[in-house]
Amino acid sequence: GEILPSQGYERSDSAHPSFYDAVAAFDAGDESALRQLLHRSPDLALASGFLDSSYEHAALRGAGLIHLIAGYPQRTRLPDNALALADLLLEAGVDVNALTADSASALELLAEADQPGWLGIDEQLFARLLTKGADANHNNGYLLWKILSGGNPRPKLAKLLADHGARVDLRLAAGLNDVELAKQFFTSDGKLAADAGVSYRIPTRAPTDQVILDEALSFAAINEAFATAEFLLEHGADINAMPPNFFESARDRGVSAL
């Protein structure tokens, strides 16, 4: 039958011999042990692990130590001192833009994670990564799009991304409930500007101006951005429109603002 590698700390699928010792120290919340490991092997900060294709938690395949700050409830509990551990990793020189095998950054994992929020440190972790140079605009602003279209609004995380350079178009400005920014995507004669729909979107045919307006209204609706929704309706958005591909699902054939 198939032979699976250990799913705990006795693993061999990392190029660095101390990687899983560091993972164990992080999981235990042992700041002293983690600091000693990083001091003894500075290159550990850039190491990755969980490289075996059969590793049960697929989202962590190829993860570095920095990815652990997002927590992964099926793997283990995030330690109470995760914020201090994150600071230690950042001081050690981890790559805040390192990607897993599935091309996910720590910032992207953090945006979808629950455990940091349970500990009340999600915004602080998010801000620390961005301050240290995490790319807020990776994949043309995919992360901001995902946060604002995902059905679980996290407006403070979205605002942090926008403040740190995530590309914002009319649709995302609507999700942020920023009426003044939304106004900038209209020309003096009331038409949409050329950059009104340039941020990330699910690959599809080029949208018309009406589709962009209607998508913006959906972003406003799902994020309870009522001021922006009113502004968009005044400027031609169709309250009964059902723009397709709003959610990240192959089964999404269209959803109205209502």
Side-chain angles (χ1 to χ4, degrees):
E2 183 180 9
I3 299 176
L4 295 177
S6 168
Q7 301 301 307
Y9 302 120
E10 299 298 324
R11 303 178 59 87
S12 59
D13 56 342
S14 172
H16 199 289
S18 298
F19 181 80
Y20 292 108
D21 292 332
V23 171
F26 183 97
D27 290 346
D30 192 337
E31 189 175 350
S32 176
L34 183 58
R35 179 179 286 105
Q36 290 178 24
L37 286 164
L38 290 165
H39 179 74
R40 190 182 310 139
S41 302
D43 56 335
L44 179 58
L46 300 177
S48 59
F50 309 111
L51 296 171
D52 193 288
S53 61
S54 61
Y55 181 55
E56 61 179 333
H57 304 306
L60 290 179
R61 289 176 188 154
L65 295 176
I66 191 59
H67 291 93
L68 300 179
I69 69 172
Y72 202 84
Q74 287 78 22
R75 191 183 72 83
T76 192
R77 177 181 178 275
L78 191 65
D80 292 338
N81 62 337
L83 191 61
L85 295 171
D87 286 337
L88 176 57
L89 292 173
L90 292 170
E91 291 168 6
V94 293
D95 179 2
V96 293
N97 290 307
L99 302 177
T100 65
D102 288 335
S103 298
S105 67
L107 200 64
E108 288 167 330
L109 292 184
L110 185 58
E112 298 182 1
D114 291 320
Q115 291 196 77
W118 298 342
L119 293 175
I121 60 172
D122 52 342
E123 294 172 33
Q124 293 165 284
L125 286 171
F126 218 69
R128 277 165 164 74
L129 289 177
L130 289 166
T131 299
K132 287 292 186 178
D135 185 5
N137 207 37
H138 175 63
N139 195 13
N140 195 31
Y142 168 77
L143 183 53
L144 181 56
W145 173 88
K146 188 171 182 64
I147 289 176
L148 292 175
S149 68
N152 180 27
R154 295 186 172 185
K156 292 182 179 179
L157 299 189
K159 179 75 162 53
L160 281 168
L161 281 172
D163 289 346
H164 284 82
R167 192 174 192 180
V168 177
D169 62 6
L170 175 63
R171 301 167 306 138
L172 302 186
L176 292 165
N177 201 25
D178 192 332
V179 177
E180 293 305 312
L181 181 56
K183 290 178 180 178
Q184 297 178 24
F185 294 102
F186 288 85
T187 62
S188 58
D189 58 358
K191 296 181 180 180
L192 284 190
D195 59 350
V198 297
S199 295
Y200 178 88
R201 66 171 55 250
I202 295 174
T204 182
R205 67 183 61 182
T208 63
D209 284 0
Q210 187 62 50
V211 167
I212 293 172
L213 270 171
D214 297 338
E215 287 177 338
L217 183 61
S218 292
F219 272 97
I222 200 171
N223 290 283
E224 300 181 353
F226 302 123
T228 309
E230 184 177 354
F231 168 80
L232 291 167
L233 288 169
E234 292 171 351
H235 286 76
D238 182 359
I239 198 169
N240 293 311
M242 297 181 66
N245 303 117
F246 181 78
F247 295 109
E248 198 169 21
S249 169
R251 293 188 294 273
D252 178 11
R253 296 293 183 264
V255 59
S256 72
L258 294 176

